[in-house]
Coordinates of all heavy atoms in Angstrom, one line a residue:
E486 N 41.4 20.4 -34.6 CA 40.6 19.6 -35.6 C 40.7 18.1 -35.3 O 39.9 17.4 -36.0 CB 41.1 19.9 -37.0 CG 42.7 19.6 -37.3 CD 43.5 20.8 -37.1 OE1 43.3 21.5 -36.3 OE2 44.4 20.9 -38.0
I511 N 39.5 13.4 -38.0 CA 39.5 14.8 -37.9 C 38.1 15.4 -38.3 O 37.3 14.6 -39.0 CB 40.6 15.5 -38.7 CG1 40.4 15.1 -40.2 CG2 41.9 15.0 -38.2 CD1 41.4 15.9 -41.1
S515 N 38.3 19.8 -42.5 CA 39.6 20.1 -42.0 C 40.6 19.7 -43.1 O 40.4 18.7 -43.7 CB 39.9 19.6 -40.7 OG 39.1 20.0 -39.7
D516 N 41.7 20.4 -43.2 CA 42.6 20.1 -44.2 C 43.6 18.9 -43.7 O 44.2 19.0 -42.6 CB 43.5 21.2 -44.4 CG 44.6 21.0 -45.5 OD1 44.3 21.0 -46.7 OD2 45.8 20.7 -45.1
A517 N 43.5 17.8 -44.4 CA 44.3 16.6 -43.9 C 45.7 16.8 -43.9 O 46.4 16.3 -43.0 CB 43.9 15.3 -44.9
H518 N 46.3 17.5 -44.9 CA 47.7 17.8 -45.0 C 48.2 18.6 -43.8 O 49.3 18.3 -43.1 CB 48.1 18.5 -46.3 CG 49.5 18.5 -46.5 ND1 50.3 19.7 -46.0 CD2 50.5 17.8 -47.0 CE1 51.5 19.6 -46.3 NE2 51.7 18.4 -46.9
D519 N 47.4 19.6 -43.4 CA 47.8 20.5 -42.3 C 47.6 19.7 -41.0 O 48.5 19.8 -40.1 CB 46.8 21.7 -42.3 CG 47.1 22.6 -41.1 OD1 48.2 23.2 -41.1 OD2 46.2 22.7 -40.1
A520 N 46.7 18.8 -40.9 CA 46.5 18.0 -39.7 C 47.7 17.1 -39.4 O 48.3 16.9 -38.4 CB 45.2 17.2 -39.7
V521 N 48.1 16.5 -40.5 CA 49.3 15.5 -40.4 C 50.5 16.3 -39.9 O 51.3 15.9 -39.1 CB 49.6 14.9 -41.9 CG1 50.9 14.1 -41.8 CG2 48.5 13.8 -42.2
A522 N 50.7 17.5 -40.7 CA 51.9 18.2 -40.2 C 51.9 18.7 -38.8 O 52.9 18.6 -38.1 CB 52.0 19.5 -41.2
R523 N 50.8 19.1 -38.3 CA 50.7 19.4 -36.8 C 50.8 18.2 -35.9 O 51.5 18.4 -34.8 CB 49.3 20.2 -36.6 CG 49.1 21.5 -37.4 CD 47.8 22.3 -37.1 NE 47.8 22.6 -35.7 CZ 46.8 23.2 -35.1 NH1 45.6 23.3 -35.9 NH2 46.7 23.6 -33.9
I524 N 50.3 17.1 -36.3 CA 50.4 15.8 -35.5 C 52.0 15.5 -35.4 O 52.4 15.2 -34.3 CB 49.6 14.7 -36.0 CG1 48.2 15.0 -35.8 CG2 50.1 13.4 -35.4 CD1 47.2 14.0 -36.5
K525 N 52.6 15.5 -36.5 CA 54.0 15.2 -36.6 C 54.9 16.2 -35.7 O 55.8 15.9 -35.1 CB 54.5 15.2 -38.0 CG 54.1 14.0 -38.8 CD 54.6 14.0 -40.2 CE 54.4 12.7 -41.0 NZ 55.3 11.6 -40.5
I541 N 44.8 9.6 -41.8 CA 43.7 10.6 -41.5 C 42.4 10.0 -41.9 O 42.3 9.4 -43.0 CB 43.9 12.0 -42.3 CG1 45.3 12.6 -41.7 CG2 42.7 12.8 -42.1 CD1 45.2 13.0 -40.3

Side-chain angles (χ1 to χ4, degrees):
E486 61 262 42
I511 65 174
S515 297
D516 183 82
H518 186 270
D519 180 65
V521 168
R523 295 183 65 185
I524 289 171
K525 284 180 174 288
I541 296 296

